[in-house]
Amino acid sequence: MPERRTVALVTLGCARNEVDSEELAGRLAADGWELVEDAADADVAVVNTCGFVEAAKKDSVDALLEANDLKDHGKTQAVVAVGCMAERYGKELAEALPEADGVLGFDDYADISNRLQTILNGGSVEAHTPRDRRQLLPISPAERQSAAVALPGHAQAAEEPAPAPADLPDGLAPASGPRAPLRRRLDKSPVASVKLASGCDRRCSFCAIPSFRGSFISRRPSDVLGETRWLAEQGVKEIMLVSENNTSYGKDLGDIRLLETLLPELAAVDGIERVRVSYLQPAEMRPGLIDVLTSTPKVVPYFDLSFQHSAPDVLRAMRRFGDTDRFLELLDTIRSKAPQAGVRSNFIVGFPGEKESDFAELERFLTHARLDAIGVFGYSDEDGTEAAGYEDKLDEDTIAERLAHMQRLAEELTSQRAEERIGETLEVLVETVVPLDEAEEGEGAYGRAAHQAPETDGQVVFTDGAGLVPGRIVTAKVVGTLGVDLVAEPLGVELEEAAG
């Protein structure tokens, strides 16, 4: 019997990439590959790259080079690039980085097993040729569901979906529809992302994502529900709905309010304790969606709003809408319905044409917005974007100065916002418990409250980890802060109950 092939998936970038990696893992596991955690223990290291901004691209290249070093002193025989950077640059990346034994695009995902086997056998697979993926789908959103286009996280569209193998390995989600992918979890976290849609129809002048992720297309509610039920069976307690723009969900299915209907159904899935929605567009927020997000049991009042700026002239140049006062009104509406609601956002400073008065306007917004988490980025040209051709670019020193100033302000404001929560009683999902003999003084157990998303926001540090187990939601009172992190005292935790 031949030795089993082994593969490791190294994931960079956002939660959407994490879902894509688990889809690839599902396909490979179904085809007999053994998944290992450490690339040094794998025959093939597959690096799921990020291609969003320069820093992310550098991280992706570094990860590929690090994996390539394993070929000299580890088991690894081949290193393969997939993901957004591979899709965006394809042959250009292959030529610039000969250390990669393969550069595969989204179209290769459906046959990933054969592609890796060919490379492992010493053969060559032609590097992906980039193209604008927006042109692969019909202009009309209503016509996109039937298009036979590779969509990571949706599997492959087909008139008659191929049946899943009858002898699927344990822990593998069976495909259950024309766009329902196989999926294999790569960790044991009580939190998992679920892809709600792919692509984006917005044309923000600074963003290249639609060109390599394609136009917007929703997953069918039945597929989202089926995957959520499977995740619950795997022990997941919180799901986070991800896409490039969740507020557009359903527009290609004939119902722009479909998310408002789907959320209560997801919250009713047995075993799921928390449903979180990310990636919301302020200009598309609807009163009905706000109501569902702030009043549905188990759907957390969490608002990941993509503001990007608040000065009207800068927003128009970005091909976006809104201004400081309208954004503050939106936040007031949310907090009138859910005073403890969590709000986070990202911002770009130094955008072409950004005047000092525009920068001051953004500072005014941040000072009054009381955001729980703030990401600030300095503008940089992205290949193929409209803004890359804009005149009136700011010099690098000015951008760096504004970035540093706004990052300091963001740190101060989010720390103040955390302090406002002292005395609040929160429901906290326990995620990590460190054994007492391994914990340093003041450490031991960590979790997240409803207003804190995984990875991007702060966390809760428990004053006492006794009786806490990962995956359990406990009531805790905030008694202090550590920057953006909250220090909380568990209330009424019983050892016997927790053990059960």
Side-chain angles (χ1 to χ4, degrees):
M1 185 175 181
E3 184 178 353
R4 194 167 188 190
R5 306 162 296 178
T6 56
V7 60
L9 285 148
V10 180
T11 307
L12 295 94
C14 64
R16 300 185 294 273
N17 251 18
E18 293 172 5
V19 176
D20 293 348
S21 285
E22 293 197 347
E23 177 193 341
L24 291 172
R27 293 177 183 275
L28 292 167
D31 205 39
W33 290 75
E34 179 182 351
L35 297 163
V36 297
E37 292 185 14
D38 193 338
D41 298 328
D43 296 318
V44 184
V46 177
V47 180
N48 191 351
T49 61
C50 179
F52 182 38
V53 293
E54 286 304 319
K57 296 176 201 172
K58 182 181 183 304
D59 288 344
S60 295
V61 170
D62 289 344
L64 287 164
L65 293 174
E66 183 177 341
N68 183 70
D69 289 342
L70 297 174
K71 290 192 287 189
D72 295 330
H73 49 266
K75 180 181 178 181
T76 310
Q77 301 174 50
V79 175
V80 175
V82 298
C84 290
M85 190 175 182
E87 174 67 35
R88 185 177 182 184
Y89 294 104
K91 291 184 176 180
E92 181 182 342
L93 176 62
E95 293 171 0
L97 199 69
E99 291 86 353
D101 299 286
V103 176
L104 308 180
F106 298 153
D107 294 328
D108 293 303
Y109 284 18
D111 200 27
I112 187 68
S113 178
N114 286 334
R115 298 286 194 275
L116 297 189
Q117 189 63 60
T118 296
I119 293 169
L120 194 59
N121 291 341
S124 62
V125 175
E126 184 177 359
H128 166 67
T129 301
R131 50 184 172 169
D132 189 335
R133 296 193 73 85
R134 290 172 293 191
Q135 299 177 7
L136 303 182
L137 290 166
I139 294 176
S140 169
E143 298 175 3
R144 294 173 188 167
Q145 288 289 328
S146 59
V149 175
L151 297 168
H154 298 239
Q156 183 73 35
E159 292 183 5
E160 293 294 335
D167 56 346
L168 283 175
D170 291 340
L172 193 66
S176 58
R179 287 198 183 276
L182 297 166
R183 181 171 178 177
R184 177 68 172 266
R185 296 218 70 201
L186 294 174
D187 60 39
K188 296 181 180 179
S189 170
V191 184
S193 296
V194 175
K195 190 168 286 190
L196 195 61
S198 286
C200 186
D201 287 342
R202 301 185 70 88
R203 294 296 179 262
C204 301
S205 62
F206 56 84
C207 184
I209 289 176
S211 66
F212 58 84
R213 277 288 185 178
S215 297
F216 184 89
I217 183 167
S218 304
R219 291 183 68 196
R220 294 191 176 276
S222 57
D223 289 344
V224 178
L225 278 164
E227 190 167 320
T228 298
R229 293 189 185 102
W230 173 78
L231 287 167
E233 292 170 0
Q234 305 301 304
V236 169
K237 299 300 181 184
E238 175 181 327
I239 62 163
M240 183 168 73
L241 300 178
V242 299
S243 76
E244 279 74 20
N245 178 10
N246 281 333
T247 34
S248 283
Y249 180 68
K251 74 173 188 178
D252 52 322
L253 295 173
D255 185 0
I256 190 61
R257 294 177 176 81
L258 193 56
L259 183 56
E260 287 95 305
T261 304
L262 178 61
L263 284 172
E265 294 184 64
L266 292 170
V269 171
D270 189 32
I272 295 298
E273 298 297 331
R274 188 183 277 177
V275 177
R276 184 182 305 276
V277 184
S278 61
Y279 305 110
L280 300 169
Q281 287 291 339
E284 297 180 27
M285 289 301 295
R286 306 175 291 276
L289 180 56
I290 295 174
D291 287 342
V292 171
L293 287 170
T294 55
S295 65
T296 306
K298 296 188 178 182
V299 175
V300 296
Y302 176 79
F303 293 82
D304 176 12
L305 294 163
S306 177
F307 289 122
Q308 301 299 344
H309 212 284
S310 73
D313 289 346
V314 175
L315 286 167
R316 301 303 178 271
M318 289 179 168
R319 302 286 184 203
R320 298 178 66 85
F321 306 95
D323 56 47
T324 295
D325 293 335
R326 273 191 276 184
F327 290 163
L328 290 176
E329 288 174 7
L330 173 60
L331 295 178
D332 286 343
T333 299
I334 290 169
R335 288 175 176 137
S336 70
K337 298 175 181 294
Q340 290 185 324
V343 187
R344 82 168 317 276
S345 191
N346 293 325
F347 300 90
I348 298 173
V349 298
F351 195 79
E354 181 190 64
K355 302 183 291 293
E356 288 187 9
S357 58
D358 297 323
F359 187 70
E361 183 68 2
L362 175 57
E363 186 170 349
R364 179 172 81 90
F365 171 68
L366 289 177
T367 301
H368 290 86
R370 296 170 55 233
L371 303 180
D372 293 278
I374 300 171
V376 186
F377 302 89
Y379 172 80
S380 62
D381 287 338
E382 282 295 313
D383 299 334
T385 61
E386 180 183 356
Y390 282 179
E391 298 179 355
D392 202 15
K393 299 277 180 65
L394 278 64
D395 62 77
E396 292 184 4
D397 289 344
T398 299
I399 294 175
E401 181 181 336
R402 292 184 180 181
L403 175 62
H405 174 84
M406 204 61 79
Q407 285 177 331
R408 288 192 299 270
L409 177 63
E411 183 176 352
E412 177 184 341
L413 292 172
T414 51
S415 294
Q416 289 176 3
R417 177 63 180 139
E419 290 172 358
E420 290 178 19
R421 293 190 179 273
I422 293 176
E424 287 186 3
T425 299
L426 307 174
E427 298 298 310
V428 183
L429 175 64
V430 182
E431 292 190 308
T432 305
V433 178
V434 181
L436 292 178
D437 58 346
E438 298 178 16
E440 298 178 6
E441 184 178 354
E443 298 184 344
Y446 308 87
R448 286 180 301 101
H451 71 278
Q452 297 168 318
E455 304 295 336
T456 57
D457 303 341
Q459 62 181 354
V460 172
V461 181
F462 290 102
T463 57
D464 183 1
L468 300 181
V469 291
R472 185 181 178 200
I473 292 183
V474 301
T475 303
K477 183 176 181 179
V478 182
V479 296
T481 64
L482 295 169
V484 297
D485 295 337
L486 303 179
V487 179
E489 176 185 349
L491 302 177
V493 177
E494 298 180 9
L495 286 170
E496 191 173 323
E497 180 185 354

